[in-house]
Amino acid sequence: MVRQIHKVRLIDAIRQKLLESTEAEKSAVLATTDDESKAAALEAKKYEVEVNKVRGELRQLIDAHGRPEEIEKLDAFDAAWAELERVDARLLELAVANTNLKAARLLSRDGAAVLDRFTDRVAEMQRTVTDPELLRTLSRASVAALRSQALLFAHIPSADDAEMTRLEQQMKELDAEVERCLSSARENGQPSQKLLASALGAWQENQRLTVEILRLSRLNSNVISFDVSVHEKRQATKQCLAALSALAAAVDLGPYGTR
């Protein structure tokens, strides 16, 4: 009877630490900073280590003094737990990468600043020229650049590869429009060469940042980790808890198979 009580206590400890690990994992997925996600991921891993420690103690006890049904149910739990650990390893690696958050921060800070610099230079050029066609050309450059940035904001949270590809194609077309407008302005010769050079420099920096933002966005670690948490992790956790409950029921039968 004492052994059975000890087994039940160990099973309860495993269940509690498993649930605490799951809560920490969710915090890692939903964290809004690298430090928060890393801290939560470390906490989740700590609880997993504790589960394995208690599980090892339970294994020794059941192997030495357990009935065949207890060993069978513990084996089933071990298999479910191994799958949960596999899902968690992938999930936590994705969660701490934070590529979507990094892409959003890069776009909203550096990206916004450099685009503001570009549109400001274009606006200054517009105030210095008189050719109506050139004014329209410069206006198209600003509008196309702003529309391209708006599509980049839509790209970051997207979970659909086809949608991201479509957005990237639209951005390429808008970026090409900006290039054509700047080329026309250069050929016109009326704008200040200093302002034009500054606008070109800002646009080139914008393009460099866009490449990095798209790279981070395509990795999609935050989007994928959330999806894994909601689907794969949830299912694996349910199976693990069900296997643990079946083990507890087998242990609760007692040494003679009766309650």
Side-chain angles (χ1 to χ4, degrees):
M1 178 64 69
V2 173
R3 290 195 189 99
Q4 296 304 101
I5 292 173
H6 187 38
K7 291 174 190 175
V8 170
R9 286 176 177 170
L10 291 174
I11 291 170
D12 287 344
I14 290 173
R15 181 183 290 108
Q16 181 61 33
K17 293 179 187 302
L18 190 158
L19 292 173
E20 287 172 339
S21 174
T22 298
E23 285 303 307
E25 165 266 311
K26 291 185 184 303
S27 294
V29 170
L30 297 175
T32 57
T33 69
D34 285 349
D35 288 343
E36 288 176 355
S37 59
K38 287 175 182 177
L42 286 174
E43 185 179 8
K45 290 175 182 177
K46 181 195 74 172
Y47 284 124
E48 287 184 9
V49 169
E50 292 176 1
V51 167
N52 283 324
K53 181 180 178 181
V54 179
R55 189 170 60 89
E57 185 179 347
L58 181 62
R59 167 63 71 180
Q60 287 184 338
L61 188 58
I62 288 180
D63 282 348
H65 306 287
R67 295 176 297 109
E69 183 179 0
E70 292 176 8
I71 295 173
E72 176 188 343
K73 299 302 183 185
L74 180 56
D75 288 343
F77 169 72
D78 282 351
W81 174 247
E83 173 61 15
L84 186 60
E85 284 189 301
R86 184 194 67 79
V87 172
D88 258 354
R90 176 174 176 241
L91 176 56
L92 293 175
E93 183 180 5
L94 287 165
V96 299
N98 276 329
T99 61
N100 297 82
L101 287 177
K102 289 173 181 173
R105 283 197 294 267
L106 188 58
L107 177 57
S108 61
R109 295 174 186 174
D110 295 3
V114 76
L115 190 61
D116 282 346
R117 193 162 74 248
F118 171 77
T119 55
D120 285 347
R121 294 299 85 78
V122 172
E124 287 181 53
M125 282 191 284
Q126 287 177 295
R127 288 193 291 270
T128 64
V129 301
T130 56
D131 182 353
E133 183 58 36
L134 181 55
L135 285 169
R136 286 191 290 270
T137 296
L138 292 172
S139 178
R140 288 201 307 272
S142 288
V143 170
L146 291 168
R147 287 180 59 197
S148 182
Q149 186 188 61
L151 294 176
L152 196 51
F153 271 111
H155 189 284
I156 292 171
S158 177
D160 185 88
D161 282 343
E163 181 186 24
M164 286 190 284
T165 299
R166 178 179 60 78
L167 290 170
E168 288 166 17
Q169 182 56 43
Q170 289 179 294
M171 289 169 60
K172 286 180 181 177
E173 293 170 2
L174 289 166
D175 292 349
E177 172 70 0
V178 174
E179 299 283 353
R180 285 193 297 270
C181 290
L182 293 177
S183 179
S184 294
R186 186 188 301 110
E187 291 171 2
N188 181 278
Q190 194 175 126
S192 160
Q193 292 304 300
K194 183 178 179 180
L195 287 177
L196 183 57
S198 180
L200 285 167
W203 179 247
Q204 289 167 0
E205 177 64 10
N206 177 79
Q207 293 299 87
R208 185 190 67 77
L209 288 170
T210 295
V211 169
E212 177 61 9
I213 292 166
L214 287 174
R215 184 189 72 81
L216 290 167
S217 179
R218 274 286 185 178
L219 290 173
N220 245 357
S221 69
N222 294 95
V223 173
I224 296 171
S225 66
F226 183 80
D227 184 72
V228 172
S229 179
V230 170
H231 297 102
E232 291 180 49
K233 175 62 185 282
R234 182 170 178 271
Q235 185 60 30
T237 301
K238 286 176 62 177
Q239 291 175 351
C240 223
L241 290 172
L244 202 58
S245 294
L247 173 59
V251 167
D252 195 42
L253 288 174
Y256 304 107
T258 58
R259 294 186 183 274

